[in-house]
Amino acid sequence: MSKLVEEFNEYRTKMNEVILSKDNLVMKRLWNLDTNTYEEGALDKKTKEMLGLVASMVLRCDDCIKYHLGKNHELGVTTKEVYEIFAVANIVGGTIVVPHTRRAAEYWEALEENGSAK
Amino acid sequence: MSKLVEEFNEYRTKMNEVILSKDNLVMKRLWNLDTNTYEEGALDKKTKEMLGLVASMVLRCDDCIKYHLGKNHELGVTTKEVYEIFAVANIVGGTIVVPHTRRAAEYWEALEENGSAK
Amino acid sequence: MSKLVEEFNEYRTKMNEVILSKDNLVMKRLWNLDTNTYEEGALDKKTKEMLGLVASMVLRCDDCIKYHLGKNHELGVTTKEVYEIFAVANIVGGTIVVPHTRRAAEYWEALEENGSAK
Amino acid sequence: MSKLVEEFNEYRTKMNEVILSKDNLVMKRLWNLDTNTYEEGALDKKTKEMLGLVASMVLRCDDCIKYHLGKNHELGVTTKEVYEIFAVANIVGGTIVVPHTRRAAEYWEALEENGSAK
Amino acid sequence: MSKLVEEFNEYRTKMNEVILSKDNLVMKRLWNLDTNTYEEGALDKKTKEMLGLVASMVLRCDDCIKYHLGKNHELGVTTKEVYEIFAVANIVGGTIVVPHTRRAAEYWEALEENGSAK
Amino acid sequence: MSKLVEEFNEYRTKMNEVILSKDNLVMKRLWNLDTNTYEEGALDKKTKEMLGLVASMVLRCDDCIKYHLGKNHELGVTTKEVYEIFAVANIVGGTIVVPHTRRAAEYWEALEENGSAK
């Protein structure tokens, strides 16, 4: 598995555990709610994860982008589709989104390599 | 037609004309490119307009939200679907998105009324 | 009661009802969670509402600022204290916070007038 | 004088007085410092006011944009130059800057009308 | 002392010296003013540093978060209190604040370890 | 050549190639348009690159800052001038811009060293 993907997931898991161990109820409930948000509803999971990705891109949150790229990959979003999401994000959010798109492109390549290596 | 929708469109058209009359090439080309961005591709128009809507919401741009709500309405996005887009925007962007959601909800009602009045 | 405060509260209540009437579970749960967030805990309500105010100011959300100013006023935050919160927001967020501070100052005056008119 | 310019200046002056009357030292010193920032230095005033304008645009602060448009107008920035600043802001900040550009264009027209009416 | 805390402080001190060596008066005065902002006033230091922390979190500025976490720690803010500040920031600013909360949680652990190692 | 500058340019070039290889037309045209934006017009290149720099700073985009610092350096902007741009960015955008200013200052030193080493 690509080190980029692995490192992201490891740090995320480790720190989520630290946060949850403090028993802050608001944080816990927000995380549950976050999970519910992307569940099948009037919109399917794939559409919702694409919405999560574009929102993360225009807000320029690299880790959020990585997380949603992972989900998009799992749900079968194609490279052509992902780049159209990148395009919307870059037009709406401007060229300040470009550096985040570079890191997103790198992470997507890593996800693709992992996928074909399975 | 609801005054809310009409006023938004009138002001938008009037000021777009002022801006275009100054012949700034970068502005003109950006606007053409903006139109291209939402055209049918690997993703269909409806998905792209939903992406445009959620991106506008988390960036808290009321006029952008109105514009994309209009497009979503035209393309047959349902109220249930629109509220799931609102939900993603509010979870990703937090409660500071709520006041923009109130104005979005108001504009959506106006679009619905216009639609049923046709 | 000052028209400024009244109008804000009326519009807020009316649109919240529209949103809640659509039965989007994520929106409903987020709003419940939002209420819980500011309840007495390790930090008291007053401190939490001050945190909510400064966060709203640096994110430049006028309606969020009005809401938290109302809560701060109810909980007995003084004018001197409110202006120290304004100062933190302006230093952290820069002069783009100034126009929002002007509107916040206007709303605070309205809250003070209502208070003394009771 | 155009009502748009007059109303902006009147509200700004009135609320600045309210804020200053509260004697918050940090706010006062920040405002002095803000004035100093745009004074002649290694860069001339005109360049600095253009920097202030583009910064206000990408941060999407309508009142900051109006203030700096006024200063740019006073210092002889031409319409062609202002639209090149708009172009930089729209490319860097994306299409969410467009609605602010519409309001900026409207305010610039008002400044131009006032100028030619003098 | 934890390497995380040490490295942050070292880089910060080194680069602040570079910046100050250029004798830009506005930068110097802004930094003095920044120090004044958090001094005892109508609000005590602890409250002000909590305001600085939540503002830094919703604006998603990792280094600002680290700085204010350090100050909160010095002033005796407890882990329970810090997590309530995290909760406010995550509710107001949404799940894009989560990755910054992970890094904040890591830094807080480092501060706690240093404290107990003294 | 300083490793800092070299590494930034290498990663940027590598990832731009990945992105362009996917043949997304919107991305390609946005990048062409981005290049046009900073070309000589009513405003000269140097002024436009200073505008690009201050916009990148208030939006707190480190890679965008590095890119525009490189261009400013090439076009002969002096250290005194660059620090006045930093000052505008810090006043408009607040102390959350400070950590980005530290990284900008470090990159500027690297550009200066490379320049004198040529």
Side-chain angles (χ1 to χ4, degrees):
Chain A
M1 193 155 146
S2 159
K3 255 178 63 182
L4 201 61
V5 178
E6 203 172 29
E7 280 170 15
F8 169 70
N9 286 325
E10 266 174 25
Y11 179 75
R12 188 174 171 274
T13 304
K14 190 182 78 179
M15 292 317 304
N16 282 2
E17 276 164 20
V18 171
I19 293 173
L20 290 172
S21 76
K22 308 299 181 187
D23 278 324
N24 182 289
L25 208 66
V26 173
M27 291 302 296
K28 283 193 175 175
R29 288 181 57 194
L30 180 61
W31 289 9
N32 281 335
L33 192 47
D34 183 39
T35 306
N36 296 158
T37 306
Y38 297 96
E39 271 163 20
E40 190 88 17
L43 298 171
D44 60 22
K45 276 188 183 189
K46 189 181 149 183
T47 304
K48 285 185 166 185
E49 285 295 340
M50 292 194 290
L51 295 173
L53 176 57
V54 83
S56 301
M57 288 193 81
V58 295
L59 289 174
R60 303 161 49 211
C61 174
D62 287 328
D63 284 6
C64 313
I65 294 171
K66 284 178 181 169
Y67 174 80
H68 286 293
L69 281 174
K71 288 288 177 186
N72 275 266
H73 197 257
E74 264 174 57
L75 293 165
V77 175
T78 67
T79 298
K80 259 198 146 34
E81 288 171 333
V82 155
Y83 273 78
E84 293 193 2
I85 301 171
F86 291 178
V88 172
N90 278 269
I91 287 297
V92 175
T95 56
I96 45 157
V97 180
V98 172
H100 304 272
T101 306
R102 282 197 275 268
R103 290 188 282 272
E106 186 183 26
Y107 196 80
W108 186 257
E109 296 298 299
L111 289 165
E112 288 282 279
E113 280 162 36
N114 290 350
S116 57
K118 267 186 233 174
Chain B
M1 191 156 150
S2 158
K3 256 179 63 182
L4 200 61
V5 179
E6 202 172 29
E7 279 171 17
F8 169 69
N9 286 325
E10 266 175 24
Y11 179 76
R12 188 174 171 274
T13 304
K14 191 182 77 178
M15 292 318 304
N16 282 2
E17 276 165 20
V18 171
I19 293 172
L20 290 172
S21 76
K22 308 300 180 185
D23 279 323
N24 182 289
L25 210 64
V26 173
M27 291 302 295
K28 283 193 175 175
R29 288 181 57 195
L30 179 61
W31 290 8
N32 282 335
L33 192 47
D34 183 39
T35 306
N36 297 158
T37 306
Y38 297 96
E39 270 163 21
E40 190 87 17
L43 297 171
D44 59 23
K45 275 188 185 189
K46 191 181 147 184
T47 304
K48 285 184 166 186
E49 285 296 341
M50 291 194 291
L51 295 173
L53 176 56
V54 83
S56 301
M57 287 193 82
V58 294
L59 290 173
R60 302 161 50 210
C61 173
D62 287 327
D63 284 6
C64 312
I65 293 171
K66 284 178 181 170
Y67 174 79
H68 286 292
L69 280 174
K71 288 288 177 186
N72 274 268
H73 197 258
E74 265 175 56
L75 294 165
V77 175
T78 66
T79 299
K80 259 199 145 34
E81 289 171 333
V82 156
Y83 273 77
E84 292 192 2
I85 301 172
F86 291 178
V88 171
N90 279 267
I91 287 296
V92 175
T95 56
I96 45 158
V97 179
V98 172
H100 305 271
T101 306
R102 281 197 275 268
R103 290 188 282 274
E106 185 182 29
Y107 197 79
W108 186 257
E109 296 298 298
L111 289 165
E112 288 283 280
E113 280 163 35
N114 290 350
S116 56
K118 266 185 231 169
Chain C
M1 191 156 148
S2 159
K3 256 180 64 183
L4 201 61
V5 179
E6 200 172 31
E7 278 170 17
F8 169 69
N9 286 325
E10 267 175 23
Y11 179 75
R12 188 174 172 274
T13 303
K14 190 181 79 177
M15 292 317 304
N16 281 4
E17 277 165 19
V18 172
I19 293 172
L20 290 173
S21 76
K22 308 301 180 185
D23 279 324
N24 183 289
L25 209 65
V26 173
M27 292 301 296
K28 283 191 175 177
R29 288 182 56 195
L30 180 60
W31 289 8
N32 282 334
L33 192 47
D34 183 38
T35 305
N36 298 156
T37 306
Y38 298 96
E39 272 163 20
E40 190 87 17
L43 297 172
D44 59 23
K45 276 189 182 186
K46 190 181 148 184
T47 303
K48 285 184 165 186
E49 284 296 339
M50 292 194 290
L51 295 173
L53 176 57
V54 83
S56 300
M57 288 194 82
V58 294
L59 290 173
R60 300 159 53 208
C61 174
D62 287 327
D63 284 7
C64 312
I65 293 171
K66 283 177 182 171
Y67 174 78
H68 286 292
L69 280 174
K71 288 288 178 187
N72 275 267
H73 197 257
E74 265 174 57
L75 294 165
V77 175
T78 66
T79 298
K80 261 200 142 34
E81 287 172 333
V82 156
Y83 272 76
E84 292 193 3
I85 301 172
F86 290 179
V88 171
N90 279 268
I91 287 296
V92 174
T95 57
I96 45 157
V97 180
V98 173
H100 304 272
T101 306
R102 281 197 275 268
R103 290 189 282 273
E106 185 182 27
Y107 197 79
W108 186 257
E109 297 297 299
L111 289 165
E112 288 281 279
E113 281 163 35
N114 290 350
S116 56
K118 266 187 232 169
Chain D
M1 192 155 149
S2 160
K3 256 178 64 183
L4 202 61
V5 179
E6 201 172 28
E7 279 170 17
F8 169 69
N9 286 326
E10 266 175 24
Y11 179 76
R12 188 174 172 273
T13 303
K14 190 182 78 179
M15 293 316 305
N16 282 3
E17 276 165 20
V18 172
I19 293 172
L20 290 173
S21 76
K22 308 298 180 187
D23 278 323
N24 182 288
L25 208 66
V26 173
M27 291 302 296
K28 284 193 175 174
R29 288 182 54 193
L30 180 60
W31 289 9
N32 281 335
L33 192 47
D34 183 39
T35 306
N36 296 156
T37 306
Y38 297 97
E39 271 163 21
E40 191 86 16
L43 297 172
D44 60 23
K45 277 188 183 188
K46 190 181 148 184
T47 304
K48 285 185 165 186
E49 284 297 340
M50 292 194 290
L51 295 173
L53 176 57
V54 84
S56 301
M57 288 193 82
V58 295
L59 289 173
R60 300 160 52 209
C61 174
D62 287 327
D63 284 6
C64 313
I65 293 171
K66 283 178 182 170
Y67 175 79
H68 286 292
L69 280 174
K71 288 289 178 185
N72 274 267
H73 197 257
E74 265 174 56
L75 293 166
V77 175
T78 67
T79 298
K80 261 200 145 33
E81 288 172 333
V82 155
Y83 273 76
E84 293 193 1
I85 300 172
F86 290 178
V88 171
N90 279 268
I91 287 297
V92 175
T95 57
I96 44 156
V97 179
V98 173
H100 304 272
T101 306
R102 282 198 276 269
R103 290 188 282 273
E106 186 183 26
Y107 197 79
W108 186 257
E109 296 298 298
L111 289 165
E112 288 282 279
E113 280 163 35
N114 290 351
S116 57
K118 266 185 230 170
Chain E
M1 191 156 147
S2 159
K3 254 179 66 182
L4 202 60
V5 179
E6 201 172 29
E7 278 170 18
F8 169 69
N9 286 325
E10 266 175 23
Y11 179 76
R12 187 173 172 274
T13 304
K14 190 182 78 178
M15 293 317 304
N16 281 3
E17 276 165 20
V18 172
I19 293 173
L20 290 173
S21 76
K22 307 300 180 186
D23 278 324
N24 182 289
L25 209 64
V26 173
M27 292 301 296
K28 284 193 174 175
R29 288 181 56 193
L30 180 60
W31 289 8
N32 282 335
L33 192 47
D34 183 38
T35 306
N36 297 157
T37 306
Y38 298 96
E39 271 163 20
E40 189 87 16
L43 298 171
D44 59 22
K45 276 189 182 188
K46 190 180 148 185
T47 303
K48 286 185 165 184
E49 284 297 339
M50 292 194 290
L51 295 173
L53 176 57
V54 84
S56 301
M57 289 194 81
V58 295
L59 290 174
R60 302 159 52 208
C61 173
D62 287 328
D63 284 6
C64 313
I65 294 171
K66 284 178 181 168
Y67 175 79
H68 287 292
L69 280 174
K71 288 288 178 186
N72 275 267
H73 197 258
E74 265 174 56
L75 294 166
V77 175
T78 67
T79 299
K80 258 199 148 33
E81 288 171 332
V82 155
Y83 273 77
E84 292 193 4
I85 300 171
F86 290 179
V88 171
N90 279 267
I91 287 296
V92 174
T95 57
I96 45 157
V97 179
V98 173
H100 304 273
T101 306
R102 281 196 276 269
R103 290 189 281 273
E106 186 182 27
Y107 197 79
W108 186 257
E109 297 297 299
L111 289 165
E112 288 281 280
E113 280 163 36
N114 290 351
S116 55
K118 265 187 235 174
Chain F
M1 191 156 148
S2 159
K3 255 177 65 180
L4 200 62
V5 178
E6 203 172 27
E7 278 171 17
F8 170 69
N9 286 326
E10 266 174 25
Y11 179 76
R12 188 173 170 274
T13 303
K14 190 182 78 177
M15 292 318 304
N16 282 2
E17 276 165 20
V18 172
I19 293 172
L20 290 172
S21 76
K22 308 299 180 185
D23 279 324
N24 181 289
L25 208 65
V26 173
M27 291 301 296
K28 283 193 175 176
R29 288 181 56 195
L30 179 61
W31 289 7
N32 281 335
L33 192 47
D34 183 39
T35 306
N36 297 158
T37 306
Y38 298 96
E39 272 163 21
E40 189 88 17
L43 297 172
D44 59 23
K45 277 188 182 188
K46 189 180 149 185
T47 304
K48 285 185 166 187
E49 285 296 340
M50 292 194 290
L51 295 172
L53 176 57
V54 83
S56 302
M57 288 193 81
V58 294
L59 290 172
R60 302 161 49 209
C61 174
D62 287 327
D63 284 7
C64 312
I65 294 171
K66 283 178 181 169
Y67 174 80
H68 287 293
L69 280 174
K71 288 289 178 185
N72 274 267
H73 197 256
E74 266 176 55
L75 293 165
V77 175
T78 66
T79 299
K80 259 199 145 34
E81 288 171 333
V82 156
Y83 273 77
E84 293 194 1
I85 301 171
F86 290 178
V88 171
N90 279 269
I91 287 296
V92 175
T95 56
I96 46 158
V97 179
V98 172
H100 305 273
T101 306
R102 282 196 275 267
R103 291 188 281 274
E106 186 182 29
Y107 197 79
W108 186 257
E109 296 298 298
L111 288 165
E112 288 282 281
E113 280 163 35
N114 290 350
S116 57
K118 265 187 234 171

